[in-house]
Coordinates of all heavy atoms in Angstrom, one line a residue:
M263 N 9.7 -2.3 8.0 CA 10.2 -3.6 7.4 C 11.3 -3.4 6.5 O 12.5 -3.9 6.9 CB 8.9 -4.2 6.7 CG 9.0 -5.7 6.6 SD 7.4 -6.3 5.9 CE 7.4 -7.9 6.6
S264 N 11.2 -2.8 5.4 CA 12.2 -2.6 4.5 C 12.3 -1.1 4.1 O 11.3 -0.4 4.1 CB 12.0 -3.5 3.2 OG 12.9 -3.2 2.2
S265 N 13.5 -0.7 3.6 CA 13.6 0.7 3.1 C 13.4 0.7 1.6 O 13.6 1.8 1.0 CB 14.9 1.2 3.5 OG 16.0 0.5 3.0
K266 N 13.1 -0.4 1.0 CA 12.9 -0.5 -0.5 C 11.4 0.0 -0.8 O 10.5 -0.5 -0.2 CB 13.2 -1.9 -0.9 CG 12.9 -2.1 -2.4 CD 13.1 -3.6 -2.7 CE 12.4 -4.0 -4.0 NZ 11.0 -4.2 -3.8
K267 N 11.4 0.8 -1.8 CA 10.0 1.1 -2.3 C 9.3 0.0 -3.0 O 10.0 -0.7 -3.7 CB 10.1 2.4 -3.2 CG 10.4 3.6 -2.5 CD 10.4 4.8 -3.3 CE 10.6 6.2 -2.5 NZ 10.5 7.3 -3.4
I268 N 8.1 -0.2 -2.8 CA 7.3 -1.3 -3.5 C 6.9 -0.9 -4.9 O 6.5 0.3 -5.1 CB 6.1 -1.7 -2.6 CG1 5.6 -3.0 -3.0 CG2 5.1 -0.6 -2.4 CD1 4.6 -3.7 -2.0
T269 N 6.9 -1.7 -5.8 CA 6.6 -1.4 -7.2 C 5.1 -1.6 -7.4 O 4.4 -2.3 -6.7 CB 7.4 -2.3 -8.2 OG1 6.9 -3.7 -8.0 CG2 8.9 -2.2 -7.9
K270 N 4.6 -1.0 -8.5 CA 3.2 -1.1 -8.8 C 2.9 -2.5 -9.2 O 1.9 -3.1 -8.8 CB 2.9 -0.2 -10.0 CG 1.5 -0.3 -10.6 CD 0.4 0.4 -9.9 CE -0.9 0.2 -10.4 NZ -1.5 1.2 -11.4
K271 N 3.9 -3.3 -9.8 CA 3.7 -4.7 -10.1 C 3.5 -5.5 -8.9 O 2.7 -6.4 -8.8 CB 4.9 -5.2 -11.0 CG 4.7 -6.6 -11.4 CD 5.8 -7.0 -12.3 CE 5.5 -8.5 -12.7 NZ 6.4 -9.0 -13.7
E272 N 4.4 -5.3 -7.9 CA 4.3 -6.0 -6.6 C 2.9 -5.7 -5.9 O 2.3 -6.6 -5.4 CB 5.4 -5.6 -5.6 CG 6.7 -6.1 -6.1 CD 7.8 -5.5 -5.3 OE1 7.8 -4.2 -5.0 OE2 8.8 -6.2 -4.9
L273 N 2.5 -4.5 -6.0 CA 1.2 -4.1 -5.4 C 0.0 -4.8 -6.2 O -1.0 -5.3 -5.6 CB 0.9 -2.6 -5.4 CG 1.8 -1.8 -4.5 CD1 1.7 -0.3 -4.8 CD2 1.4 -2.1 -3.0
T274 N 0.1 -4.9 -7.5 CA -0.9 -5.4 -8.3 C -1.0 -6.9 -8.0 O -2.1 -7.5 -7.8 CB -0.7 -5.2 -9.8 OG1 -0.6 -3.8 -10.0 CG2 -1.8 -5.8 -10.6
T275 N 0.1 -7.6 -7.8 CA 0.2 -9.0 -7.5 C -0.5 -9.3 -6.1 O -1.3 -10.1 -6.0 CB 1.6 -9.5 -7.5 OG1 2.2 -9.3 -8.8 CG2 1.7 -11.0 -7.1
K276 N -0.2 -8.4 -5.2 CA -0.8 -8.6 -3.8 C -2.2 -8.3 -3.9 O -3.0 -9.1 -3.3 CB -0.1 -7.5 -2.9 CG -0.5 -7.7 -1.5 CD 0.4 -6.8 -0.6 CE 0.3 -7.1 0.9 NZ 0.7 -8.5 1.2
A277 N -2.7 -7.4 -4.7 CA -4.1 -7.0 -4.9 C -4.9 -8.3 -5.4 O -6.0 -8.6 -5.0 CB -4.4 -5.9 -5.7
V278 N -4.3 -9.0 -6.4 CA -4.8 -10.1 -7.0 C -5.0 -11.2 -6.0 O -6.0 -11.9 -5.9 CB -4.0 -10.6 -8.3 CG1 -4.5 -12.0 -8.8 CG2 -4.1 -9.6 -9.4
E279 N -3.9 -11.4 -5.2 CA -4.0 -12.4 -4.1 C -5.1 -12.1 -3.1 O -5.7 -13.1 -2.5 CB -2.7 -12.4 -3.4 CG -1.6 -13.0 -4.2 CD -0.1 -12.7 -3.5 OE1 -0.1 -12.2 -2.3 OE2 0.8 -13.1 -4.1
L280 N -5.5 -10.8 -2.9 CA -6.5 -10.4 -2.1 C -7.9 -10.3 -2.7 O -8.8 -9.9 -2.1 CB -6.2 -9.0 -1.4 CG -5.0 -9.1 -0.5 CD1 -4.5 -7.7 -0.1 CD2 -5.3 -9.8 0.8
N281 N -7.9 -10.8 -4.0 CA -9.2 -10.7 -4.8 C -9.8 -9.4 -5.0 O -10.9 -9.2 -5.1 CB -10.2 -11.7 -4.2 CG -9.8 -13.1 -4.4 OD1 -9.3 -13.5 -5.4 ND2 -10.0 -13.9 -3.3
L282 N -8.9 -8.3 -5.1 CA -9.4 -6.9 -5.3 C -9.6 -6.8 -6.8 O -8.7 -7.0 -7.6 CB -8.4 -5.9 -4.9 CG -8.1 -5.9 -3.3 CD1 -7.0 -4.9 -3.0 CD2 -9.4 -5.5 -2.6
K283 N -10.8 -6.4 -7.2 CA -11.1 -6.1 -8.6 C -10.6 -4.8 -9.1 O -10.7 -3.8 -8.4 CB -12.7 -6.3 -8.8 CG -13.3 -7.5 -8.3 CD -12.8 -8.7 -9.1 CE -13.4 -10.0 -8.6 NZ -12.6 -11.1 -8.9
G284 N -10.2 -4.7 -10.4 CA -9.8 -3.4 -11.0 C -8.5 -2.8 -10.4 O -8.3 -1.6 -10.6
A285 N -7.7 -3.6 -9.8 CA -6.5 -3.1 -9.1 C -5.5 -2.5 -10.2 O -4.9 -1.5 -9.8 CB -5.7 -4.2 -8.4
A286 N -5.4 -3.0 -11.3 CA -4.4 -2.5 -12.3 C -4.9 -1.1 -12.8 O -4.0 -0.4 -13.2 CB -4.4 -3.4 -13.5
K287 N -6.1 -0.7 -12.6 CA -6.6 0.6 -13.1 C -6.4 1.7 -12.0 O -6.4 2.9 -12.3 CB -8.0 0.5 -13.4 CG -8.3 -0.3 -14.6 CD -9.8 -0.4 -14.9 CE -10.1 -1.3 -16.1 NZ -11.5 -1.4 -16.3
L288 N -6.0 1.3 -10.8 CA -5.9 2.3 -9.7 C -4.5 2.9 -9.7 O -3.5 2.2 -10.1 CB -6.1 1.6 -8.3 CG -7.5 1.0 -8.1 CD1 -7.5 0.3 -6.7 CD2 -8.5 2.1 -8.0
R289 N -4.4 4.1 -9.3 CA -3.1 4.8 -9.1 C -2.4 4.1 -7.9 O -3.1 3.5 -7.0 CB -3.2 6.3 -8.9 CG -3.7 7.0 -10.2 CD -3.8 8.5 -10.0 NE -4.6 8.8 -8.8 CZ -4.2 9.6 -7.8 NH1 -3.0 10.2 -7.9 NH2 -5.0 9.8 -6.8
K290 N -1.1 4.2 -7.7 CA -0.4 3.5 -6.7 C -1.0 3.9 -5.3 O -1.1 2.9 -4.5 CB 1.1 3.9 -6.8 CG 2.0 3.0 -6.0 CD 3.4 3.2 -6.4 CE 4.4 2.3 -5.6 NZ 5.8 2.6 -6.0
P291 N -1.2 5.1 -4.9 CA -1.7 5.4 -3.6 C -3.1 4.8 -3.3 O -3.4 4.2 -2.3 CB -1.7 7.0 -3.5 CG -0.8 7.4 -4.5 CD -0.9 6.4 -5.6
E292 N -4.0 4.9 -4.4 CA -5.3 4.3 -4.3 C -5.1 2.7 -4.0 O -5.9 2.1 -3.3 CB -6.1 4.6 -5.4 CG -6.4 6.0 -5.6 CD -7.0 6.4 -7.0 OE1 -6.6 5.7 -8.0 OE2 -7.6 7.4 -7.1
L293 N -4.2 2.1 -4.7 CA -4.1 0.7 -4.7 C -3.6 0.3 -3.3 O -4.0 -0.7 -2.7 CB -3.0 0.2 -5.7 CG -2.8 -1.2 -5.9 CD1 -4.0 -2.0 -6.1 CD2 -1.9 -1.5 -7.1
I294 N -2.6 1.1 -2.8 CA -2.1 0.8 -1.4 C -3.3 0.9 -0.4 O -3.4 0.1 0.5 CB -1.0 1.7 -1.0 CG1 0.3 1.3 -1.9 CG2 -0.6 1.6 0.4 CD1 1.4 2.3 -1.8
H295 N -4.1 2.0 -0.5 CA -5.3 2.1 0.4 C -6.2 0.9 0.3 O -6.7 0.4 1.3 CB -6.0 3.4 0.1 CG -5.3 4.6 0.4 ND1 -5.4 5.8 -0.2 CD2 -4.3 4.9 1.4 CE1 -4.6 6.8 0.3 NE2 -3.9 6.2 1.2
A296 N -6.5 0.5 -0.9 CA -7.4 -0.7 -1.1 C -6.8 -1.9 -0.4 O -7.5 -2.7 0.2 CB -7.6 -0.9 -2.6
I297 N -5.5 -2.1 -0.6 CA -4.8 -3.3 0.0 C -4.9 -3.2 1.5 O -5.2 -4.2 2.2 CB -3.4 -3.4 -0.5 CG1 -3.4 -3.9 -2.0 CG2 -2.6 -4.4 0.3 CD1 -2.0 -3.7 -2.6
Q298 N -4.6 -2.0 2.0 CA -4.6 -1.8 3.5 C -6.0 -2.2 4.1 O -6.1 -2.9 5.1 CB -4.3 -0.4 3.9 CG -2.8 0.0 3.7 CD -2.4 1.4 4.0 OE1 -3.2 2.3 3.6 NE2 -1.4 1.6 4.7
I299 N -7.0 -1.7 3.4 CA -8.4 -2.0 3.9 C -8.7 -3.5 3.7 O -9.3 -4.1 4.7 CB -9.5 -1.2 3.1 CG1 -9.3 0.3 3.4 CG2 -10.9 -1.7 3.3 CD1 -10.0 1.3 2.5
A300 N -8.3 -4.1 2.6 CA -8.6 -5.6 2.4 C -7.9 -6.4 3.4 O -8.3 -7.5 3.8 CB -8.2 -6.0 1.0
E301 N -6.7 -5.9 3.9 CA -6.0 -6.7 5.0 C -6.5 -6.4 6.4 O -6.0 -6.9 7.4 CB -4.5 -6.3 4.9 CG -3.8 -6.8 3.7 CD -2.4 -6.4 3.6 OE1 -1.9 -5.4 4.1 OE2 -1.6 -7.2 2.9
G302 N -7.5 -5.4 6.5 CA -8.0 -5.1 7.8 C -7.3 -4.0 8.5 O -7.5 -3.8 9.7
N303 N -6.6 -3.3 7.8 CA -5.8 -2.1 8.4 C -6.5 -0.8 8.0 O -7.3 -0.7 7.1 CB -4.4 -2.1 7.9 CG -3.7 -3.5 8.3 OD1 -3.7 -3.8 9.5 ND2 -3.1 -4.1 7.3
N304 N -6.0 0.3 8.7 CA -6.5 1.6 8.3 C -5.8 1.9 7.0 O -4.7 1.6 6.8 CB -6.1 2.6 9.4 CG -6.8 2.4 10.7 OD1 -8.0 2.0 10.7 ND2 -6.2 2.7 11.8
D305 N -6.5 2.7 6.2 CA -5.9 3.2 4.9 C -5.2 4.4 5.2 O -5.6 5.5 4.7 CB -7.0 3.3 3.8 CG -8.1 4.2 4.2 OD1 -8.4 4.4 5.4 OD2 -8.8 4.7 3.3
C306 N -4.1 4.3 5.8 CA -3.3 5.6 6.3 C -2.2 6.0 5.4 O -1.6 7.0 5.7 CB -2.8 5.2 7.7 SG -1.7 3.8 7.7
F307 N -1.9 5.3 4.3 CA -0.8 5.5 3.5 C -0.7 7.0 3.1 O -1.7 7.5 2.5 CB -0.8 4.7 2.3 CG 0.4 5.0 1.3 CD1 1.7 4.6 1.6 CD2 0.1 5.7 0.1 CE1 2.7 4.9 0.7 CE2 1.2 6.1 -0.7 CZ 2.4 5.6 -0.4
A308 N 0.3 7.7 3.4 CA 0.5 9.2 3.1 C -0.5 10.1 3.7 O -0.7 11.2 3.2 CB 0.6 9.3 1.5
R309 N -1.2 9.6 4.8 CA -2.2 10.5 5.4 C -1.8 10.9 6.8 O -2.4 11.7 7.3 CB -3.5 9.7 5.4 CG -4.1 9.5 4.0 CD -5.4 8.9 4.1 NE -6.0 8.8 2.8 CZ -7.0 8.0 2.4 NH1 -7.5 7.2 3.3 NH2 -7.5 8.1 1.2
I310 N -0.7 10.3 7.3 CA -0.3 10.6 8.7 C 1.1 11.1 8.6 O 2.0 10.4 8.1 CB -0.4 9.3 9.6 CG1 -1.8 8.7 9.6 CG2 0.2 9.5 11.0 CD1 -1.9 7.4 10.3
T311 N 1.3 12.2 9.2 CA 2.7 12.9 9.1 C 3.7 12.3 10.2 O 4.9 12.2 9.9 CB 2.6 14.4 9.3 OG1 1.9 14.6 10.6 CG2 1.9 15.0 8.1
D312 N 3.2 11.9 11.3 CA 4.1 11.4 12.3 C 3.8 9.9 12.6 O 3.7 9.5 13.8 CB 4.1 12.2 13.6 CG 2.7 12.3 14.2 OD1 1.7 12.0 13.5 OD2 2.6 12.7 15.3
C313 N 3.7 9.1 11.7 CA 3.4 7.6 11.8 C 4.4 6.9 12.7 O 5.6 7.0 12.4 CB 3.2 7.1 10.5 SG 2.7 5.3 10.5
A314 N 3.9 6.1 13.5 CA 4.8 5.3 14.3 C 4.5 3.8 14.1 O 5.1 2.9 14.8 CB 4.5 5.6 15.8
V315 N 3.7 3.4 13.1 CA 3.5 2.0 12.8 C 4.7 1.4 12.2 O 5.2 1.8 11.2 CB 2.3 1.9 11.9 CG1 2.1 0.5 11.5 CG2 1.0 2.5 12.4
S316 N 5.2 0.3 12.8 CA 6.3 -0.4 12.3 C 6.2 -1.8 12.8 O 5.8 -2.1 13.9 CB 7.6 0.2 12.8 OG 8.7 -0.4 12.3
P317 N 6.4 -2.8 12.0 CA 6.8 -2.7 10.6 C 5.6 -2.3 9.7 O 4.5 -2.7 10.0 CB 7.3 -4.1 10.3 CG 6.5 -5.0 11.2 CD 6.2 -4.2 12.4
C318 N 6.0 -1.8 8.6 CA 5.0 -1.4 7.5 C 5.6 -1.6 6.2 O 6.7 -1.0 5.9 CB 4.5 0.0 7.7 SG 3.3 0.5 6.5
L319 N 5.0 -2.3 5.3 CA 5.5 -2.6 4.0 C 5.7 -1.3 3.2 O 6.5 -1.2 2.3 CB 4.6 -3.5 3.3 CG 4.9 -4.0 1.9 CD1 6.3 -4.8 1.9 CD2 3.8 -4.9 1.3
Y320 N 4.9 -0.3 3.5 CA 4.8 0.9 2.6 C 5.6 2.1 3.3 O 5.6 3.2 2.7 CB 3.4 1.4 2.4 CG 2.6 0.2 2.0 CD1 1.6 -0.3 2.9 CD2 2.7 -0.4 0.8 CE1 0.8 -1.4 2.6 CE2 2.0 -1.5 0.5 CZ 1.0 -2.0 1.3 OH 0.3 -3.2 1.0
R321 N 6.2 1.9 4.4 CA 6.9 3.0 5.2 C 7.9 3.8 4.3 O 8.0 5.0 4.5 CB 7.5 2.4 6.4 CG 8.0 3.6 7.3 CD 8.5 2.9 8.7 NE 8.6 3.9 9.7 CZ 7.7 4.5 10.3 NH1 6.4 4.3 10.1 NH2 8.0 5.4 11.2
A322 N 8.7 3.1 3.6 CA 9.8 3.8 2.8 C 9.2 4.9 1.9 O 9.8 5.9 1.7 CB 10.6 2.8 2.0
E323 N 8.1 4.5 1.3 CA 7.4 5.5 0.4 C 6.6 6.5 1.2 O 6.4 7.6 0.7 CB 6.5 4.7 -0.6 CG 6.9 5.1 -2.0 CD 6.4 4.1 -3.0 OE1 6.6 2.9 -2.8 OE2 5.7 4.6 -3.9
C324 N 5.9 6.0 2.2 CA 4.9 6.9 2.9 C 5.6 8.0 3.6 O 5.2 9.1 3.6 CB 4.2 6.0 3.9 SG 3.0 6.8 4.8
Q325 N 6.8 7.7 4.2 CA 7.5 8.7 5.0 C 8.5 9.5 4.2 O 9.4 10.2 4.8 CB 8.1 8.1 6.2 CG 7.1 7.4 7.1 CD 6.1 8.4 7.8 OE1 6.5 9.3 8.5 NE2 4.8 8.3 7.6
A326 N 8.6 9.2 2.9 CA 9.6 9.8 2.1 C 9.5 11.4 1.9 O 8.5 11.9 2.0 CB 9.7 9.2 0.7

């Protein structure tokens, strides 16, 4: 999607929209995993070395 890294604030806002509890207390990777699961996706952030999923909101950070 974009080559811009997503901020913790943007992630926290997205988590609130998804009604995830305790989002502000999670570290960034844990927060991304929680969002991925809440959206019905695999929690693959930073777990796959040769990811071919595109578009992905977290790709810039994940494949860095």
